[in-house]
mmCIF file with all atom_site columns, all heavy atoms in Angstrom:
data_model
loop_
_atom_site.group_PDB
_atom_site.id
_atom_site.type_symbol
_atom_site.label_atom_id
_atom_site.label_alt_id
_atom_site.label_comp_id
_atom_site.label_asym_id
_atom_site.label_entity_id
_atom_site.label_seq_id
_atom_site.pdbx_PDB_ins_code
_atom_site.Cartn_x
_atom_site.Cartn_y
_atom_site.Cartn_z
_atom_site.occupancy
_atom_site.B_iso_or_equiv
_atom_site.pdbx_formal_charge
_atom_site.auth_seq_id
_atom_site.auth_comp_id
_atom_site.auth_asym_id
_atom_site.auth_atom_id
_atom_site.pdbx_PDB_model_num
ATOM 1   N N   . GLU A 1 133 ? 0.819   31.050 -55.922 1.00 94.00 ? 133 GLU A N   1
ATOM 2   C CA  . GLU A 1 133 ? -0.533  31.037 -56.495 1.00 94.00 ? 133 GLU A CA  1
ATOM 3   C C   . GLU A 1 133 ? -1.589  31.045 -55.394 1.00 94.00 ? 133 GLU A C   1
ATOM 4   O O   . GLU A 1 133 ? -2.583  31.775 -55.463 1.00 94.00 ? 133 GLU A O   1
ATOM 5   C CB  . GLU A 1 133 ? -0.701  29.803 -57.384 1.00 94.00 ? 133 GLU A CB  1
ATOM 6   C CG  . GLU A 1 133 ? -2.039  29.750 -58.108 1.00 94.00 ? 133 GLU A CG  1
ATOM 7   C CD  . GLU A 1 133 ? -2.161  28.537 -59.018 1.00 94.00 ? 133 GLU A CD  1
ATOM 8   O OE1 . GLU A 1 133 ? -1.124  27.885 -59.298 1.00 94.00 ? 133 GLU A OE1 1
ATOM 9   O OE2 . GLU A 1 133 ? -3.296  28.235 -59.438 1.00 94.00 ? 133 GLU A OE2 1
ATOM 10  N N   . ASP A 1 134 ? -1.385  30.220 -54.365 1.00 93.00 ? 134 ASP A N   1
ATOM 11  C CA  . ASP A 1 134 ? -2.325  30.168 -53.240 1.00 93.00 ? 134 ASP A CA  1
ATOM 12  C C   . ASP A 1 134 ? -2.361  31.495 -52.486 1.00 93.00 ? 134 ASP A C   1
ATOM 13  O O   . ASP A 1 134 ? -3.437  31.990 -52.112 1.00 93.00 ? 134 ASP A O   1
ATOM 14  C CB  . ASP A 1 134 ? -1.941  29.043 -52.281 1.00 93.00 ? 134 ASP A CB  1
ATOM 15  C CG  . ASP A 1 134 ? -2.174  27.664 -52.893 1.00 93.00 ? 134 ASP A CG  1
ATOM 16  O OD1 . ASP A 1 134 ? -2.931  27.579 -53.881 1.00 93.00 ? 134 ASP A OD1 1
ATOM 17  O OD2 . ASP A 1 134 ? -1.583  26.690 -52.385 1.00 93.00 ? 134 ASP A OD2 1
ATOM 18  N N   . ILE A 1 135 ? -1.191  32.069 -52.251 1.00 93.00 ? 135 ILE A N   1
ATOM 19  C CA  . ILE A 1 135 ? -1.097  33.340 -51.517 1.00 93.00 ? 135 ILE A CA  1
ATOM 20  C C   . ILE A 1 135 ? -1.768  34.465 -52.306 1.00 93.00 ? 135 ILE A C   1
ATOM 21  O O   . ILE A 1 135 ? -2.536  35.263 -51.748 1.00 93.00 ? 135 ILE A O   1
ATOM 22  C CB  . ILE A 1 135 ? 0.373   33.677 -51.221 1.00 93.00 ? 135 ILE A CB  1
ATOM 23  C CG1 . ILE A 1 135 ? 0.916   32.740 -50.136 1.00 93.00 ? 135 ILE A CG1 1
ATOM 24  C CG2 . ILE A 1 135 ? 0.527   35.139 -50.794 1.00 93.00 ? 135 ILE A CG2 1
ATOM 25  C CD1 . ILE A 1 135 ? 2.404   32.820 -49.923 1.00 93.00 ? 135 ILE A CD1 1
ATOM 26  N N   . ASN A 1 136 ? -1.497  34.532 -53.596 1.00 94.00 ? 136 ASN A N   1
ATOM 27  C CA  . ASN A 1 136 ? -2.098  35.579 -54.429 1.00 94.00 ? 136 ASN A CA  1
ATOM 28  C C   . ASN A 1 136 ? -3.619  35.442 -54.491 1.00 94.00 ? 136 ASN A C   1
ATOM 29  O O   . ASN A 1 136 ? -4.340  36.441 -54.548 1.00 94.00 ? 136 ASN A O   1
ATOM 30  C CB  . ASN A 1 136 ? -1.515  35.544 -55.839 1.00 94.00 ? 136 ASN A CB  1
ATOM 31  C CG  . ASN A 1 136 ? -0.082  36.044 -55.887 1.00 94.00 ? 136 ASN A CG  1
ATOM 32  O OD1 . ASN A 1 136 ? 0.370   36.760 -54.987 1.00 94.00 ? 136 ASN A OD1 1
ATOM 33  N ND2 . ASN A 1 136 ? 0.652   35.688 -56.927 1.00 94.00 ? 136 ASN A ND2 1
ATOM 34  N N   . LEU A 1 137 ? -4.090  34.189 -54.483 1.00 94.00 ? 137 LEU A N   1
ATOM 35  C CA  . LEU A 1 137 ? -5.533  33.956 -54.495 1.00 94.00 ? 137 LEU A CA  1
ATOM 36  C C   . LEU A 1 137 ? -6.178  34.554 -53.242 1.00 94.00 ? 137 LEU A C   1
ATOM 37  O O   . LEU A 1 137 ? -7.185  35.276 -53.334 1.00 94.00 ? 137 LEU A O   1
ATOM 38  C CB  . LEU A 1 137 ? -5.821  32.455 -54.563 1.00 94.00 ? 137 LEU A CB  1
ATOM 39  C CG  . LEU A 1 137 ? -7.287  32.038 -54.409 1.00 94.00 ? 137 LEU A CG  1
ATOM 40  C CD1 . LEU A 1 137 ? -8.130  32.596 -55.550 1.00 94.00 ? 137 LEU A CD1 1
ATOM 41  C CD2 . LEU A 1 137 ? -7.413  30.521 -54.322 1.00 94.00 ? 137 LEU A CD2 1
ATOM 42  N N   . ILE A 1 138 ? -5.611  34.273 -52.082 1.00 94.00 ? 138 ILE A N   1
ATOM 43  C CA  . ILE A 1 138 ? -6.171  34.786 -50.829 1.00 94.00 ? 138 ILE A CA  1
ATOM 44  C C   . ILE A 1 138 ? -6.063  36.310 -50.772 1.00 94.00 ? 138 ILE A C   1
ATOM 45  O O   . ILE A 1 138 ? -6.996  37.012 -50.352 1.00 94.00 ? 138 ILE A O   1
ATOM 46  C CB  . ILE A 1 138 ? -5.456  34.143 -49.625 1.00 94.00 ? 138 ILE A CB  1
ATOM 47  C CG1 . ILE A 1 138 ? -5.749  32.643 -49.593 1.00 94.00 ? 138 ILE A CG1 1
ATOM 48  C CG2 . ILE A 1 138 ? -5.882  34.795 -48.311 1.00 94.00 ? 138 ILE A CG2 1
ATOM 49  C CD1 . ILE A 1 138 ? -4.956  31.871 -48.565 1.00 94.00 ? 138 ILE A CD1 1
ATOM 50  N N   . GLN A 1 139 ? -4.930  36.839 -51.221 1.00 94.00 ? 139 GLN A N   1
ATOM 51  C CA  . GLN A 1 139 ? -4.731  38.287 -51.181 1.00 94.00 ? 139 GLN A CA  1
ATOM 52  C C   . GLN A 1 139 ? -5.585  39.031 -52.204 1.00 94.00 ? 139 GLN A C   1
ATOM 53  O O   . GLN A 1 139 ? -5.711  40.247 -52.121 1.00 94.00 ? 139 GLN A O   1
ATOM 54  C CB  . GLN A 1 139 ? -3.253  38.617 -51.409 1.00 94.00 ? 139 GLN A CB  1
ATOM 55  C CG  . GLN A 1 139 ? -2.356  38.242 -50.235 1.00 94.00 ? 139 GLN A CG  1
ATOM 56  C CD  . GLN A 1 139 ? -0.913  38.670 -50.447 1.00 94.00 ? 139 GLN A CD  1
ATOM 57  O OE1 . GLN A 1 139 ? -0.398  38.620 -51.561 1.00 94.00 ? 139 GLN A OE1 1
ATOM 58  N NE2 . GLN A 1 139 ? -0.259  39.085 -49.375 1.00 94.00 ? 139 GLN A NE2 1
ATOM 59  N N   . SER A 1 140 ? -6.183  38.299 -53.162 1.00 94.00 ? 140 SER A N   1
ATOM 60  C CA  . SER A 1 140 ? -7.026  38.955 -54.163 1.00 94.00 ? 140 SER A CA  1
ATOM 61  C C   . SER A 1 140 ? -8.367  39.397 -53.584 1.00 94.00 ? 140 SER A C   1
ATOM 62  O O   . SER A 1 140 ? -9.094  40.169 -54.210 1.00 94.00 ? 140 SER A O   1
ATOM 63  C CB  . SER A 1 140 ? -7.258  38.018 -55.351 1.00 94.00 ? 140 SER A CB  1
ATOM 64  O OG  . SER A 1 140 ? -8.061  36.903 -54.977 1.00 94.00 ? 140 SER A OG  1
ATOM 65  N N   . TYR A 1 141 ? -8.689  38.916 -52.381 1.00 93.00 ? 141 TYR A N   1
ATOM 66  C CA  . TYR A 1 141 ? -9.944  39.295 -51.732 1.00 93.00 ? 141 TYR A CA  1
ATOM 67  C C   . TYR A 1 141 ? -9.678  40.352 -50.659 1.00 93.00 ? 141 TYR A C   1
ATOM 68  O O   . TYR A 1 141 ? -8.647  40.318 -49.978 1.00 93.00 ? 141 TYR A O   1
ATOM 69  C CB  . TYR A 1 141 ? -10.623 38.074 -51.113 1.00 93.00 ? 141 TYR A CB  1
ATOM 70  C CG  . TYR A 1 141 ? -11.038 37.049 -52.158 1.00 93.00 ? 141 TYR A CG  1
ATOM 71  C CD1 . TYR A 1 141 ? -10.210 35.956 -52.435 1.00 93.00 ? 141 TYR A CD1 1
ATOM 72  C CD2 . TYR A 1 141 ? -12.210 37.202 -52.876 1.00 93.00 ? 141 TYR A CD2 1
ATOM 73  C CE1 . TYR A 1 141 ? -10.567 35.030 -53.408 1.00 93.00 ? 141 TYR A CE1 1
ATOM 74  C CE2 . TYR A 1 141 ? -12.561 36.276 -53.859 1.00 93.00 ? 141 TYR A CE2 1
ATOM 75  C CZ  . TYR A 1 141 ? -11.746 35.200 -54.120 1.00 93.00 ? 141 TYR A CZ  1
ATOM 76  O OH  . TYR A 1 141 ? -12.082 34.294 -55.085 1.00 93.00 ? 141 TYR A OH  1
ATOM 77  N N   . SER A 1 142 ? -10.606 41.268 -50.519 1.00 91.00 ? 142 SER A N   1
ATOM 78  C CA  . SER A 1 142 ? -10.455 42.319 -49.515 1.00 91.00 ? 142 SER A CA  1
ATOM 79  C C   . SER A 1 142 ? -10.671 41.742 -48.125 1.00 91.00 ? 142 SER A C   1
ATOM 80  O O   . SER A 1 142 ? -11.260 40.663 -47.966 1.00 91.00 ? 142 SER A O   1
ATOM 81  C CB  . SER A 1 142 ? -11.460 43.454 -49.773 1.00 91.00 ? 142 SER A CB  1
ATOM 82  O OG  . SER A 1 142 ? -12.791 42.975 -49.701 1.00 91.00 ? 142 SER A OG  1
ATOM 83  N N   . ASP A 1 143 ? -10.216 42.457 -47.116 1.00 86.00 ? 143 ASP A N   1
ATOM 84  C CA  . ASP A 1 143 ? -10.262 41.950 -45.742 1.00 86.00 ? 143 ASP A CA  1
ATOM 85  C C   . ASP A 1 143 ? -11.674 41.672 -45.258 1.00 86.00 ? 143 ASP A C   1
ATOM 86  O O   . ASP A 1 143 ? -11.865 40.870 -44.340 1.00 86.00 ? 143 ASP A O   1
ATOM 87  C CB  . ASP A 1 143 ? -9.585  42.947 -44.793 1.00 86.00 ? 143 ASP A CB  1
ATOM 88  C CG  . ASP A 1 143 ? -8.078  42.949 -44.959 1.00 86.00 ? 143 ASP A CG  1
ATOM 89  O OD1 . ASP A 1 143 ? -7.555  41.971 -45.528 1.00 86.00 ? 143 ASP A OD1 1
ATOM 90  O OD2 . ASP A 1 143 ? -7.425  43.925 -44.540 1.00 86.00 ? 143 ASP A OD2 1
ATOM 91  N N   . ASP A 1 144 ? -12.672 42.348 -45.836 1.00 86.00 ? 144 ASP A N   1
ATOM 92  C CA  . ASP A 1 144 ? -14.046 42.143 -45.373 1.00 86.00 ? 144 ASP A CA  1
ATOM 93  C C   . ASP A 1 144 ? -14.768 41.037 -46.147 1.00 86.00 ? 144 ASP A C   1
ATOM 94  O O   . ASP A 1 144 ? -15.950 40.800 -45.930 1.00 86.00 ? 144 ASP A O   1
ATOM 95  C CB  . ASP A 1 144 ? -14.845 43.448 -45.448 1.00 86.00 ? 144 ASP A CB  1
ATOM 96  C CG  . ASP A 1 144 ? -14.942 43.990 -46.871 1.00 86.00 ? 144 ASP A CG  1
ATOM 97  O OD1 . ASP A 1 144 ? -14.215 43.488 -47.745 1.00 86.00 ? 144 ASP A OD1 1
ATOM 98  O OD2 . ASP A 1 144 ? -15.738 44.922 -47.100 1.00 86.00 ? 144 ASP A OD2 1
ATOM 99  N N   . GLN A 1 145 ? -14.038 40.341 -47.035 1.00 92.00 ? 145 GLN A N   1
ATOM 100 C CA  . GLN A 1 145 ? -14.614 39.210 -47.750 1.00 92.00 ? 145 GLN A CA  1
ATOM 101 C C   . GLN A 1 145 ? -14.099 37.900 -47.158 1.00 92.00 ? 145 GLN A C   1
ATOM 102 O O   . GLN A 1 145 ? -12.935 37.791 -46.775 1.00 92.00 ? 145 GLN A O   1
ATOM 103 C CB  . GLN A 1 145 ? -14.261 39.276 -49.249 1.00 92.00 ? 145 GLN A CB  1
ATOM 104 C CG  . GLN A 1 145 ? -14.912 40.447 -49.977 1.00 92.00 ? 145 GLN A CG  1
ATOM 105 C CD  . GLN A 1 145 ? -14.514 40.506 -51.440 1.00 92.00 ? 145 GLN A CD  1
ATOM 106 O OE1 . GLN A 1 145 ? -13.350 40.303 -51.795 1.00 92.00 ? 145 GLN A OE1 1
ATOM 107 N NE2 . GLN A 1 145 ? -15.475 40.816 -52.312 1.00 92.00 ? 145 GLN A NE2 1
ATOM 108 N N   . ILE A 1 146 ? -14.955 36.900 -47.108 1.00 91.00 ? 146 ILE A N   1
ATOM 109 C CA  . ILE A 1 146 ? -14.603 35.643 -46.449 1.00 91.00 ? 146 ILE A CA  1
ATOM 110 C C   . ILE A 1 146 ? -13.469 34.928 -47.175 1.00 91.00 ? 146 ILE A C   1
ATOM 111 O O   . ILE A 1 146 ? -12.727 34.140 -46.558 1.00 91.00 ? 146 ILE A O   1
ATOM 112 C CB  . ILE A 1 146 ? -15.848 34.731 -46.324 1.00 91.00 ? 146 ILE A CB  1
ATOM 113 C CG1 . ILE A 1 146 ? -15.633 33.660 -45.251 1.00 91.00 ? 146 ILE A CG1 1
ATOM 114 C CG2 . ILE A 1 146 ? -16.211 34.119 -47.659 1.00 91.00 ? 146 ILE A CG2 1
ATOM 115 C CD1 . ILE A 1 146 ? -15.532 34.194 -43.844 1.00 91.00 ? 146 ILE A CD1 1
ATOM 116 N N   . GLY A 1 147 ? -13.288 35.211 -48.460 1.00 93.00 ? 147 GLY A N   1
ATOM 117 C CA  . GLY A 1 147 ? -12.190 34.591 -49.201 1.00 93.00 ? 147 GLY A CA  1
ATOM 118 C C   . GLY A 1 147 ? -10.821 34.938 -48.656 1.00 93.00 ? 147 GLY A C   1
ATOM 119 O O   . GLY A 1 147 ? -9.865  34.165 -48.811 1.00 93.00 ? 147 GLY A O   1
#
Side-chain angles (χ1 to χ4, degrees):
E133 184 178 346
D134 291 342
I135 288 170
N136 288 339
L137 173 63
I138 295 172
Q139 289 184 324
S140 68
Y141 296 96
S142 61
D143 287 342
D144 61 348
Q145 293 178 318
I146 199 67

